[in-house]
Amino acid sequence: MYEDICYKKSYLTEVVARIDFATPITGFEKTLPSKLVNKLSKIFPILEPVETVGHQLQIGADGVKQTEMRAKQWNFFGKEREKQLVISNNFVFTTYTRYHKYEVLNDEFREAINAIDKEQPGVIAQRIGLRYINNFEIQGISITEWGRFISEKLLGTLTFFETANLTRLFHIAELKFDDIDVRF
């Protein structure tokens, strides 16, 4: 579809696909089923489980209540750590630092999701996200000269701020198409 679009340098530094589960998966707290590990290891051959610690604060009339939550997070990596799949009892996500095309990410992420669904049927997604992260750093070009490369309409707020101290500036547009929300 986009084969004719070629850049001398790709500014895409990371692509992330994520699913948050509506309710935690209880079967992945201590170990992962061997069938699931074998299936995922074909795409993500390096497995590194990690203990995670989360803190929850509840502020109320009777003061602050803090709860510590420990969980296992299952990190799978590509052969060269160019991609990562993370499985937790609350979410699953994949991140690619070497991205070639959407179809590869889609196929591999779907395969992981299908494998999880086989082991834990009935898991419901609460939120699904896909994020492309671009990092534009062009040597010799100051932030005020970006109008040569990017539409002035997208750079509108640049003129509002003093650029000497500016380190980051976000524009967010949220669009709705039927039941799909898109944030750009």
Side-chain angles (χ1 to χ4, degrees):
M1 179 179 198
Y2 298 104
E3 291 81 14
D4 296 334
I5 299 175
C6 297
Y7 301 100
K8 291 180 184 175
K9 176 186 176 196
S10 173
Y11 297 99
L12 188 61
T13 56
E14 188 175 4
V15 179
V16 181
R18 179 178 172 122
I19 296 177
D20 292 333
F21 304 130
T23 57
I25 296 176
T26 56
F28 296 166
E29 292 167 339
K30 303 258 187 257
T31 187
L32 287 181
S34 59
K35 285 182 186 177
L36 178 60
V37 172
N38 291 337
K39 182 82 168 168
L40 296 176
S41 293
K42 293 175 185 172
I43 304 169
F44 302 92
I46 301 169
L47 171 59
E48 293 179 1
V50 175
E51 286 288 328
T52 61
V53 179
H55 295 276
Q56 179 180 20
L57 293 175
Q58 292 180 330
I59 302 171
D62 56 339
V64 177
K65 181 182 171 188
Q66 181 175 344
T67 308
E68 182 178 283
M69 298 162 290
R70 294 186 175 270
K72 194 81 140 187
Q73 182 173 293
W74 308 94
N75 297 302
F76 291 83
F77 295 92
K79 288 179 185 175
E80 298 175 26
R81 295 185 179 267
E82 75 288 3
K83 58 188 174 182
Q84 178 183 12
L85 175 75
V86 178
I87 300 175
S88 164
N89 59 342
N90 293 311
F91 61 83
V92 60
F93 77 83
T94 188
T95 179
Y96 287 70
T97 54
R98 270 191 250 150
Y99 179 81
H100 300 289
K101 60 185 182 175
Y102 169 78
E103 290 77 11
V104 172
L105 177 140
N106 185 44
D107 291 347
E108 291 179 352
F109 193 53
R110 280 180 184 263
E111 196 163 328
I113 297 305
N114 290 338
I116 291 169
D117 189 51
K118 271 191 175 165
E119 294 299 324
Q120 292 288 319
V123 173
I124 299 171
Q126 177 179 339
R127 180 176 170 264
I128 300 172
L130 177 63
R131 178 172 289 180
Y132 291 87
I133 302 169
N134 291 286
N135 187 12
F136 296 97
E137 289 185 23
I138 302 174
Q139 296 296 326
I141 303 293
S142 76
I143 196 165
T144 58
E145 299 176 65
W146 280 84
R148 293 179 17 209
F149 303 100
I150 298 174
S151 170
E152 292 282 348
K153 292 177 182 178
L154 289 174
L155 300 172
T157 57
L158 253 180
T159 58
F160 184 78
F161 294 97
E162 179 68 35
T163 58
N165 298 322
L166 187 65
T167 59
R168 198 170 188 185
L169 179 63
F170 284 98
H171 296 300
I172 297 175
E174 294 185 1
L175 310 166
K176 185 149 184 84
F177 301 93
D178 297 322
D179 63 342
I180 298 173
D181 296 323
V182 177
R183 181 179 290 173
F184 174 79

